[in-house]
């Protein structure tokens, strides 16, 4: 059970996320925990319903009418849910509950909820071990269901738990449910038909369940989620991922495999072609081999710490990703466990980065460049300015020494004055790459400009001197526009006194 401080923070985060998600139109249909703010809860606004019109539930729990919140966090309500008449008293007293929090309440069994307009239901951090068939059937608007940190076992989690109302011949689906969190339970496997009543499911969390292996039944269950966008399989003691697990959910964009026992990057990732975010942190991976982070048409960014937990990593292939524009300089770095102020990098010997859309390469991405066997940076649109100066001065000589055969096709894409030039040729000519000025202009032609100015100055000096001399000798009178008297005096020569006599 969470302590009061953590519970308050937890509720605050969930409430901000829930209200923000549900009050505005979500065009993606997807909820991200990264969108949570950290604004503290204002308890002054967190009031109970006045006693004169109070429902029984609002006397023991917190109700916020204007936001549709019913919160029983850390209130011990017993092993089962409230009676139906108590739930119905919420509507009677003016609370249209949309966000319901029954966190850390001691619940052990979920029976049935009455018909309510609930869109977000949090049942996490309880002791729930059993759930009745169709227990959520009356919550037809439910979008987010959190069952994490309970005692659910594989046997108790059957498909009919998520069934909707029963029609003439079948159960209706929970057609709005997009997010299902089952993390930190006691699941070892999934019923192959577990998600058959959840056609809109996009986000599934299974983290911290002791699966050890994704068996065939679990594979069928996960692969059946056609609209799956986000999947969390972190800390599940997995040694491998079934090869065709991601064959059906081709829209998978967020995959968390942190904290497993993977010794190599799973071949299953070759089917996850839409991935935009992937974490393989804290796995004993020694090599990232061909095809693992390659040919991912939607991959745009590899962020800070993406591979920081791969302490034995020796080979990296991140290739043929046409939209990959950014590789964070701290993607591989981690803080030393003994001395947090010290940074460590994995002993990478072979780095393949060809055929991406990368313009800059951070010198601190890896620090043992001079001891590496292969560095392949071909076919990227490199920017040839001072930020990449170290590539010319330090990296290209290493590539030339170790693998000269892959020096071709390392060309400048920008600035325009450098476009199409070979970086290898620039390195051989000992070209100094310059940075844009304050106005954003790249002065790569400054040399020619300065030479032109110098020639102009050298020509201007004798010309100016000649004009000055002509002026001093009075020759300008020949071409002046003065009065006739001034013009005649220019030709008049006075005689001396002796000449007059």
């Amino acid at each position: 059970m969470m302590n009061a401080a953590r519970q308050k923070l937890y509720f605050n985060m969930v409430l901000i996320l829930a209200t923000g998600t549900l009050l505005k139109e979500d065009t993606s249909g997807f909820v991200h925990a990264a969108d949570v703010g950290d604004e503290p809860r204002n308890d002054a606004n967190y009031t109970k319903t006045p006693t004169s019109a109070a429902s029984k539930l609002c006397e023991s729990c917190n109700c916020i009418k204007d936001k549709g919140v019913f919160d029983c966090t850390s209130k011990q309500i017993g092993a089962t849910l409230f009676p139906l008449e108590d739930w119905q008293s919420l509507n009677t007293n003016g609370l249209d509950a949309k966000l319901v929090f029954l966190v850390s309440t001691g619940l052990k069994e979920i029976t049935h909820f009455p018909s309510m307009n609930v869109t977000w239901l949090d049942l996490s951090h309880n002791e729930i071990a059993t759930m009745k068939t169709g227990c959520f059937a009356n919550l037809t608007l439910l979008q987010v269901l959190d069952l994490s940190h309970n005692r659910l076992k594989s046997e108790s989690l059957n498909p009919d738990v998520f069934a909707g109302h029963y029609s003439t011949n079948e159960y209706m689906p929970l057609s709005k449910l997009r997010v299902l969190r089952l993390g930190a339970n006691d699941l070892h496997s999934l019923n192959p038909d577990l998600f058959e009543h959840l056609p809109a499911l996009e986000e599934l969390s299974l983290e911290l369940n002791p699966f050890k292996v994704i068996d065939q039944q679990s594979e069928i269950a996960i692969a059946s989620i056609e609209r799956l966008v986000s999947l969390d399989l972190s800390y599940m003691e997995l040694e491998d991922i079934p090869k065709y697990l991601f064959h059906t959910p081709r829209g998978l964009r967020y995959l968390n495999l942190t904290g497993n026992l993977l010794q190599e990057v799973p071949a299953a990732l070759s089917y996850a072609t839409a991935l935009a975010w992937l974490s393989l942190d804290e796995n004993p991976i020694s090599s990232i081999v061909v095809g693992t982070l390659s040919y991912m048409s939607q991959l745009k960014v590899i962020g800070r710490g993406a591979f920081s937990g791969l302490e034995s990593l020796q080979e990296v292939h991140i290739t043929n990703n046409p939209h990959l524009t950014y590789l964070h300089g701290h993607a591989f770095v981690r803080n030393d466990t003994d001395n947090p102020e010290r940074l460590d990098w994995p002993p990478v010997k072979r780095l393949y980065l060809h055929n991406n859309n990368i313009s800059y390469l951070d010198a601190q991405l890896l620090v043992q460049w001079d001891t590496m066997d292969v560095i392949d940076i071909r076919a990227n649109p490199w920017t040839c300015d001072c930020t990449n100066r170290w590539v010319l001065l330090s990296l290209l000589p290493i590539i030339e020494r170790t693998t000269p055969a892959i020096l071709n096709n390392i060309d400048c894409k920008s600035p325009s004055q450098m476009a199409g030039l070979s970086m290898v040729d620039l390195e051989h000519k000992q070209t100094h790459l310059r940075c844009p000025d304050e106005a954003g202009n790249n002065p790569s032609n400054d040399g020619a400009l300065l030479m032109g100015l110098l020639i102009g100055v050298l020509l201007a000096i004798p010309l100016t001197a000649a004009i000055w001399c002509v002026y001093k000798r009075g020759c300008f009178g020949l071409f002046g526009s003065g009065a006739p008297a001034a013009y005649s005096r220019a030709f008049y020569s006075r005689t001396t006194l002796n000449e007059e006599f």
Side-chain angles (χ1 to χ4, degrees), residues 8 154 162 190 201 228 259 281 476:
K8 181 177 179 180
S154 301
F162 304 115
L190 300 177
L201 188 61
L228 190 62
D281 205 358
F476 278 103

Side-chain angles (χ1 to χ4, degrees), residues 200-434:
L201 188 61
E202 295 181 357
E203 179 180 342
L204 174 64
S205 301
L206 294 169
E207 77 282 3
L208 293 167
N209 279 291
F211 269 62
K212 297 185 183 298
V213 62
I214 297 179
D215 58 21
Q216 186 175 12
Q217 290 191 125
S218 303
E219 180 180 359
I220 293 173
I222 296 174
S224 69
I225 310 174
E226 295 184 1
R227 297 179 60 177
L228 190 62
V229 173
S230 174
L231 179 62
D232 191 344
L233 301 177
S234 60
Y235 301 100
M236 292 172 57
E237 304 178 38
L238 300 174
E239 296 183 0
D240 194 16
I241 303 296
K243 183 176 181 180
Y244 298 105
L245 183 64
F246 309 126
H247 184 270
T248 301
R250 301 308 290 270
L252 185 66
R253 292 178 55 80
Y254 304 89
L255 177 61
N256 191 354
L257 295 173
T258 300
N260 284 294
L261 303 175
L262 303 172
Q263 297 186 14
E264 59 182 26
V265 177
L269 292 181
S270 62
Y271 291 99
T273 56
L275 271 186
W277 184 90
L278 168 68
S279 176
L280 291 167
D281 205 358
E282 299 179 43
N283 280 277
I285 296 175
S286 59
S287 176
I288 294 182
V289 298
V290 175
T292 54
L293 291 182
S294 302
Y295 297 99
M296 295 184 178
S297 60
Q298 301 302 315
L299 184 62
K300 297 179 181 179
V301 174
I302 296 179
R304 177 190 293 270
F307 308 108
S308 60
L310 310 180
E311 300 181 12
S312 302
L313 189 63
Q314 296 186 14
E315 184 169 332
V316 182
H317 285 253
I318 304 173
T319 66
N320 298 286
N321 301 295
H323 294 105
L324 178 60
T325 59
Y326 183 64
L327 180 58
H328 198 286
H330 288 174
F332 294 93
V333 70
R334 68 184 184 281
N335 295 100
D336 188 274
T337 53
D338 298 326
N339 182 7
E341 295 183 358
R342 176 185 171 187
L343 299 179
D344 283 335
W345 286 261
V348 175
K349 291 294 183 181
R350 294 169 293 279
L351 176 64
Y352 297 87
L353 290 178
H354 57 271
N355 290 344
N356 293 298
N357 198 28
I358 300 172
S359 299
Y360 292 98
L361 191 62
D362 196 308
Q364 296 300 309
L365 180 69
L366 299 166
V367 294
Q368 69 281 13
W369 299 103
D370 56 340
T371 64
M372 294 174 64
D373 298 328
V374 178
I375 305 170
D376 190 349
I377 62 171
R378 294 173 296 170
N380 281 286
W382 297 110
T383 297
C384 293
D385 62 18
C386 68
T387 307
N388 278 331
R389 185 182 298 160
W390 79 276
V391 175
L392 256 67
L393 299 179
S394 304
L395 197 59
L396 288 181
I398 296 173
I399 300 175
E400 191 168 11
R401 184 185 73 245
T402 56
T403 51
I406 59 174
L407 273 174
N408 60 307
N409 202 15
I410 304 177
D411 300 327
C412 302
K413 177 71 173 182
S414 62
S416 58
Q417 299 90 337
M418 310 288 280
L421 297 180
S422 167
M423 293 185 76
V424 178
D425 291 342
L426 297 177
E427 185 263 328
H428 288 168
K429 296 176 182 178
Q430 298 182 343
T431 304
H432 295 287
L433 302 184
R434 305 188 64 181

Side-chain angles (χ1 to χ4, degrees), residues 148-179:
S148 63
H149 295 272
N150 279 289
R151 297 183 179 180
L152 294 172
K153 295 183 179 295
S154 301
E155 300 77 22
S156 61
L157 198 61
N158 63 78
D160 292 339
V161 166
F162 304 115
H165 288 291
Y166 191 76
S167 67
T168 54
N169 55 6
E170 64 178 355
Y171 285 108
M172 300 297 290
L174 289 180
S175 59
K176 302 288 186 180
L177 190 66
R178 301 181 293 108
V179 180

Side-chain angles (χ1 to χ4, degrees), residues 1 60 72-79 82 103-107 126-127:
M1 184 175 298
S60 57
C72 268
T73 297
S74 297
K75 308 289 185 181
Q76 292 301 307
I77 65 174
F82 303 112
V103 181
S104 297
T105 60
L107 277 173
N126 286 295
E127 301 174 26

